[in-house]
Amino acid sequence: METIKGINLLENKKIAILGAGPGGLTLARLLQMKGAEVKVYERDFNQNSRVQGSIVDLHFDSGLKVMKEAGLIEAFKANYMKGADRYRLVDKDANIFVEENTSEDDFDNEHFRPEIDRGALRNMLIENLLPETVVWNSQFLSMNKIESSWELKFQNGNTAFADIVIGADGYRSKVRSYVTDIKALYSGAAIIQGEIENPKIDCPEIYELVDNANLIAMDIGKTIAVQPMGNGGLTFYAASLYAENWLESNGIDFNNADEVYNYLIKYYEDWNPLFFELFKSCRNFVMRPLNYFPTDQKWEPNENVTLIGDAAHLMPPSGEGVNTAMLDALDLSECLSSAQFSDLKSAIGTFELKMRSRAEILGKDAIDGIQDFASPSQQSIDELVEMFKSK
């Protein structure tokens, strides 16, 4: 691994990154390239203990840019899912409104947004870290300040020490409370998420309709999005507007797949039955309220604790989450290794200002767009159709 010399602020510093998602692993890679001593603590029992979920598209000026900076663009090209960046837009009867044509993948085209399976992305990043960088089965509980360092405590009883702590532990971040007490807000929308392992057998009609593309099915007030996974499976999201306390008051046991299925087929009762086949094939559902941190949030920088990704600036799904987390990782690695700062607090403060400014713009766009996605009007559907056709 190439090492960049001349680091000052990171010299003799132990860095702890909480969370082995794309942001945390990218940051570890970038810091190790600069010669830093890094450990990534992850709650998963091991690298293969959990399916990582849906595909993610990387963008020219963010995710792909960071891949190049991390020396991983060729590894990415070897792992991405060709053709999965296409979109199909259908109505509730499964009639196709928009069918994007396949085109030759062009990494020099700023509009090209290649998709990669989250598990493949994670594995690729881990493979390009130093051995034993990731410490598995390490669910973070708390940390205590000891002079200028931190003692970290984990659920398994282990402890660790670090001079710098970075929370990359997602929307339920436990590190965040050491940086700010600003809480998340509810967007008014939620998704019911499910995964199908063998869609070619269990729901062949929907499998053919997806055809390795991003499928979006829309009707007034309701949306179903379906994406392919790298292992041949499908992930879907049934989105709509729900009261904030709906999860507690609806009486549905989300651990009972039959109860969720019965709710969904009633909620989508006038939709094409092939969508019921999709619901029937899923045996594990998750209800996800779409929350966000206030876009104008501010806090004073800490001398040796900071946040990246959803832990810092959670926003509704917009296609920017992973890309923004990777940009955070790049910016933080550059600030921490820059000779222009006399101390860590100044470096972290400069990073956080840049991070929050970017997230404020993207967050507002995501919040503005969530109702059109989760509960579209006829006008918003028509506008989406025209947008895709214009492309």
Side-chain angles (χ1 to χ4, degrees), residues 20-22 25-26 29 44 46-52 56 67 72 75-76 79 116-130 134 136 230-231 326:
L25 293 172
T26 300
R29 163 71 180 182
D44 286 354
N46 58 41
Q47 188 170 342
N48 302 310
S49 64
R50 181 170 59 92
V51 176
Q52 293 302 301
V56 57
M67 285 288 99
L72 297 176
F76 177 84
N79 283 279
I116 187 169
D117 183 82
R118 286 176 185 262
L121 177 61
R122 188 194 213 192
N123 291 339
M124 182 192 75
L125 289 167
I126 291 172
E127 288 166 5
N128 286 279
L129 295 175
L130 295 174
V134 181
W136 301 100
N231 62 3
M326 287 183 162

Side-chain angles (χ1 to χ4, degrees), residues 354-370:
K354 185 175 183 179
M355 171 191 68
R356 288 198 302 263
S357 296
R358 174 172 56 233
E360 181 173 6
I361 297 170
L362 295 174
K364 286 179 179 178
D365 288 344
I367 294 164
D368 289 345
I370 194 59

